[in-house]
Amino acid sequence: MNTVPLLRPQSTTRRQLPVTTKQLLRTRFTPSFPASTSMFPESNVPRAVLVFVAISVSVLLLYGAADSLRFQSSSSGYSFNIFPSLRNSNNSDSKLSINDDGDDDYKLEKVLKEAAMEDKTVIIATLNEAWAAPNTIIDLFLESFRIGQGTRRLLNHLVIVALDRKAYKRCMEFHAHCFALVTQGLDFHDEAYFMTPAYLEMMWRRIDFLRSVLQMGYNFVFTDADIMWFRDPFPRFYLDADFQIACDHFLGNSSDIQNRPNGGFNYVKSNNRTIEFYKFWYSSRETYPGYHDQDVLNFIKFDPFIEDLGLKMRFLDTAFFGGLCEPSKDLNLVCTMHANCCYGLDSKLHDLRIMLQDWKTFLSLPPALKRSSSMLWTVPQNCSLNSLRRYDSPEKSVQQSLQQ
């Protein structure tokens, strides 16, 4: 496939403050009270009192102007509770939400610090009410950690980011590290169907949030909750890569940018290159409106800006990081399996349960049989490429629709 390098989206100009507001913030208020026009007889109200009142009024005016500017600076029409540690930083575009109960125990920096490994790496998964309900996605996700090889301990480093209040409440019932990223003006509690406006908004909120984690100095493994963790993936990561990502289709070379990445699983190290890359990725949503983060990644991975950054990008082999699009063929090697190429919550749940049972069957084999086993997955079943094509938008190719 021939590709044409894309121009880096031009940055937007900063909104200029109104002239009157600039003058208000820059001008020192100096009250003047001619003797002949005093509001009160001088004998009853000393001049010092009048000066005090005037100064108080000016302070209130300045406070109100600054407060209004804080809201005018928002880049979207939504209202966000900004994380206090970032509110006064240089990250003026941050839209991190916090638990509005004001409890410091659950603020993001504290949650990340408590969950981090020694090298400041955390595992992050997002969750909404639909996937948080009992006996649904989140329970299967956590079960895979418990029965996987070398994965149970990784639960200590897992941060679950709840996208709505009910998901956060449910998370607090069964997990130690939960953070509420609630977006005022948006409702993510229902199942977000592929390529709907809610789905797109949720995907882009995720990219912006992960950028903020990198800016706080934390490395992360991001994982969708419909990914089963069967083995510790860290030994399979590339030591020299800044950004490494799983694939829907792997071409055999981890450096080949023609690989088809899947944004549901990636390992990213915090440094200047990855921070700038995530900013560029997020800003590119405006260059490619109507596309989700994974489609946009497939566009910008060819952009010269990536090379100029010096970003070391690698694509993960589906032999270790498989999915229903391209399953791992050897259960002796598999680390994770993703319920990608699958439309609808019921279909995902059905095939994920079968996937877990396949893994349990494999674990029950004697060691000699495991090593020589040619056992294969019995999925996909309800999930299939045909089910995706039925729901494919006429404006988008089937190949783009596979990027769930």
Side-chain angles (χ1 to χ4, degrees), residues 339-375:
N340 52 8
C341 290
C342 188
Y343 186 91
L345 179 57
D346 291 340
S347 296
K348 282 183 183 286
L349 287 171
H350 178 273
D351 281 23
L352 284 172
R353 290 182 179 119
I354 294 173
M355 191 188 297
L356 278 175
Q357 187 56 52
D358 286 346
W359 176 251
K360 291 175 183 177
T361 300
F362 172 77
L363 291 180
S364 68
L365 296 174
L369 285 180
K370 283 182 186 175
R371 289 191 295 270
S372 62
S373 175
S374 58
M375 177 180 170

Side-chain angles (χ1 to χ4, degrees), residues 87-301:
R87 183 176 292 160
N88 297 322
S89 72
N90 293 327
N91 308 322
S92 59
D93 61 341
S94 298
K95 302 187 185 79
L96 293 184
S97 295
I98 62 170
N99 310 283
D100 55 11
D101 58 7
D103 192 342
D104 290 342
D105 290 341
Y106 306 118
K107 289 178 182 175
L108 180 57
E109 285 183 312
K110 183 172 179 60
V111 173
L112 293 175
K113 183 177 181 180
E114 290 179 347
M117 303 175 190
E118 291 185 1
D119 65 349
K120 296 190 71 175
T121 298
V122 294
I123 301 167
I124 297 176
T126 53
L127 185 67
N128 68 350
E129 180 184 345
W131 283 25
N135 302 314
T136 55
I137 296 290
I138 190 60
D139 294 310
L140 301 177
F141 177 65
L142 296 177
E143 182 182 358
S144 74
F145 277 86
R146 297 186 187 107
I147 66 174
Q149 295 183 347
T151 51
R152 178 182 285 270
R153 64 178 180 80
L154 297 177
L155 285 172
N156 296 326
H157 307 294
L158 171 65
V159 175
I160 296 178
V161 178
L163 300 177
D164 57 74
R165 298 180 188 282
K166 289 189 177 180
Y168 177 71
K169 182 179 179 180
R170 176 89 207 285
C171 179
M172 294 297 293
E173 295 173 358
F174 58 73
H175 192 60
H177 310 303
C178 304
F179 178 74
L181 185 68
V182 179
T183 307
Q184 298 177 19
L186 291 174
D187 185 1
F188 293 141
H189 80 279
D190 289 329
E191 179 183 1
Y193 288 100
F194 186 52
M195 293 307 296
T196 60
Y199 176 89
L200 293 175
E201 186 64 36
M202 188 162 62
M203 295 302 100
W204 286 114
R205 290 285 293 114
R206 182 176 77 183
I207 295 298
D208 197 31
F209 174 77
L210 293 175
R211 182 267 309 158
S212 70
V213 173
L214 293 173
Q215 286 187 307
M216 290 181 182
Y218 289 90
N219 317 308
F220 63 78
V221 176
F222 176 80
T223 174
D224 278 344
D226 62 344
I227 293 179
M228 302 294 100
W229 285 54
F230 296 128
R231 283 189 179 85
D232 181 356
F234 284 91
R236 298 295 184 181
F237 290 143
Y238 298 97
L239 296 178
D240 63 339
D242 298 313
F243 173 87
Q244 41 199 308
I245 187 168
C247 296
D248 283 339
H249 181 53
F250 182 70
L251 300 177
N253 182 345
S254 67
S255 299
D256 187 352
I257 59 175
Q258 297 289 349
N259 285 303
R260 301 296 297 183
N262 187 295
F265 187 91
N266 46 72
Y267 175 40
V268 188
K269 295 177 182 177
S270 175
N271 55 45
N272 290 335
R273 294 182 296 275
T274 56
I275 291 169
E276 291 304 312
F277 169 64
Y278 266 77
K279 288 180 180 179
F280 177 55
W281 190 357
Y282 184 71
S283 68
S284 296
R285 79 196 187 284
E286 298 177 355
T287 307
Y288 305 101
Y291 289 91
H292 62 69
D293 61 309
Q294 191 168 298
D295 279 336
V296 172
L297 175 60
N298 272 316
F299 296 141
I300 67 172
K301 67 185 181 182

Side-chain angles (χ1 to χ4, degrees), residues 27-46:
T27 304
R28 180 178 178 181
F29 184 82
T30 306
S32 177
F33 298 97
S36 61
T37 58
S38 176
M39 293 175 60
F40 301 101
E42 187 165 354
S43 59
N44 295 330
V45 182

